[in-house]
Amino acid sequence: MRRFYEQSLSWVVDGAMCNMMHLLQWRRRSDTCTRRELEEYLKQCAAMSREEFFEVQPVRQPVFGNGWIEWDSPRPSGHPENDRVHVRYYPAKKKDAPTVLILHALMSASDIGYRRLAAWFNAQGWGVVFPHLPYHYSRTPRKTLNGELAITANLVRNAEGIRQAVVELRQLMCLLRGLGTHKFGLLGTSYGGWNGALLSFLEPGFQFLALVQPIVNTEKAVWESPGSAVMRRELRARGHLPGNTRPIDHLGSPLHGMPLCDPGSIIVTGGVYDRISPIVDLEELVSRWNGVELLRSRQGHFGYRALGDTMKRVEKMLDR
């Protein structure tokens, strides 16, 4: 009975959130990329290595002040609001203390919970950075909603948004190293977990990597997820078929890389009733990342239990 109740509640909550995502996708239906646009993009990127695709460049004229770090994005999208990087900075008392990157979920509605996490990490002696990922919070373009442009039927913009985020995160880590930080942690949720996984393939120095219900199977996220039904309809109407982005899976899929940190310092948390980032996909991920711990939380994709379970495990890791 308990399992039936939990599963039913999870499906109701996830269903409501998926309907909201469908509405946003419907609003952006005219943005759907054509087959030719996608094919041209694949020609440009398919032969690239991960290091080439996410090439990091020095930050030009970063601005520090009032708890923020800002600079111009090296991967401009054409939306002025999105092309200015904003990072909330909660420094530790010690200059050389480790710093944790907290990466938010897609269309995250509020940063209140993340501010509480930042306060907790500060109390443990860690510095904290909370980047606004592309198209979210302060980076939301005019006449759009928070996160609305991050994942749509414009597959080229989706890929470039991920690229923009990872390159900027690499720049952020370079900036922090210049301030005396050489040890890092990362806590990423859903969309943020996807970005965090890709970052971990490129950057060393993570003392822990905690990915909460990350999107790892990018093919299924488009063609099977209950949250992308409208996106699929628009793509099929323009002649797109499953497998169309497979040539760049080695660049954008967490299933096609290996973190540079110790597998024993990695936590992946899945929801047992999650149909957006299904537990079976996370089981495949941890089998490829040999030695990684998989936590199972009794929730769907949307909820707070998974994050709470993850933080209990992170606390034990920091106490070691």
Side-chain angles (χ1 to χ4, degrees):
M1 179 61 74
R2 177 188 175 190
R3 179 180 176 84
F4 174 78
Y5 171 76
E6 289 176 335
Q7 186 178 55
S8 298
L9 180 61
S10 297
W11 285 8
V12 167
V13 173
D14 284 6
M17 296 301 293
C18 285
N19 285 336
M20 183 182 74
M21 293 167 69
H22 294 159
L23 176 60
L24 294 181
Q25 291 166 16
W26 181 82
R27 273 170 49 95
R28 310 308 311 181
R29 63 194 183 280
S30 61
D31 277 354
T32 305
C33 63
T34 65
R35 285 184 61 182
R36 183 173 180 178
E37 288 171 335
L38 180 61
E39 288 165 2
E40 288 297 320
Y41 185 75
L42 295 178
K43 285 180 183 178
Q44 295 173 22
C45 303
M48 286 185 174
S49 68
R50 188 179 293 116
E51 186 63 46
E52 289 172 329
F53 188 72
F54 296 113
E55 182 181 8
V56 65
Q57 304 168 22
V59 176
R60 296 181 180 179
Q61 299 180 324
V63 176
F64 296 82
N66 298 320
W68 291 92
I69 309 174
E70 299 181 23
W71 69 93
D72 288 333
S73 175
R75 299 291 313 175
S77 65
H79 295 281
E81 300 88 350
N82 183 55
D83 292 339
R84 182 71 174 171
V85 184
H86 293 261
V87 179
R88 194 77 173 89
Y89 185 33
Y90 305 86
K93 292 181 179 179
K94 292 179 61 177
K95 186 176 180 180
D96 60 349
T99 298
V100 61
L101 287 72
I102 299 179
L103 306 183
H104 60 76
L106 179 69
M107 297 188 294
S108 176
S110 170
D111 66 353
I112 293 175
Y114 297 115
R115 292 204 302 267
R116 290 173 179 167
L117 285 173
W120 184 88
F121 277 110
N122 277 166
Q124 312 309 309
W126 282 64
V128 178
V129 286
F130 179 69
H132 290 180
L133 297 176
Y135 303 109
H136 288 81
Y137 292 113
S138 63
R139 303 179 65 174
T140 303
R142 291 181 59 195
K143 298 183 180 180
T144 70
L145 301 177
N146 178 42
E148 181 178 355
L149 297 185
I151 298 295
T152 70
N154 188 329
L155 301 179
V156 173
R157 184 172 60 212
N158 295 353
E160 279 298 294
I162 290 289
R163 186 181 192 180
Q164 184 182 40
V166 174
V167 169
E168 292 167 359
L169 292 170
R170 297 190 74 188
Q171 288 186 309
L172 175 60
M173 293 181 71
C174 289
L175 279 176
L176 292 171
R177 290 186 185 106
L179 296 176
T181 295
H182 297 284
K183 294 180 180 180
F184 298 90
L186 188 144
L187 175 64
T189 301
S190 188
Y191 180 74
W194 179 5
N195 283 277
L198 298 179
L199 180 66
S200 74
F201 300 162
L202 295 155
E203 293 291 338
F206 285 111
Q207 304 301 292
F208 74 87
L209 186 68
L211 306 177
V212 185
Q213 298 172 282
I215 305 301
V216 299
N217 190 322
T218 53
E219 174 83 0
K220 287 175 66 174
V222 173
W223 295 103
E224 298 181 30
S225 171
S228 55
V230 173
M231 184 192 307
R232 285 194 293 277
R233 184 190 69 192
E234 297 303 321
L235 288 169
R236 286 197 171 100
R238 290 161 179 80
H240 293 278
L241 296 172
N244 56 354
T245 58
R246 206 163 285 157
I248 56 172
D249 275 355
H250 67 292
L251 302 174
S253 170
L255 291 173
H256 290 74
M258 186 67 65
L260 299 180
C261 57
D262 176 9
S265 65
I266 301 174
I267 306 163
V268 176
T269 305
V272 296
Y273 310 120
D274 189 346
R275 294 185 294 163
I276 294 175
S277 180
I279 196 77
V280 64
D281 291 346
L282 302 185
E283 289 171 343
E284 181 180 358
L285 182 76
V286 300
S287 71
R288 296 188 184 196
W289 296 0
N290 188 33
V292 173
E293 180 178 5
L294 176 62
L295 299 180
R296 291 175 168 82
S297 295
R298 303 180 69 85
Q299 69 165 60
H301 192 72
F302 299 95
Y304 299 102
R305 179 176 292 182
L307 180 57
D309 291 344
T310 304
M311 287 305 299
K312 290 176 184 177
R313 189 68 188 89
V314 168
E315 185 174 7
K316 290 181 180 178
M317 293 180 75
L318 297 187
D319 287 342
R320 290 192 307 205

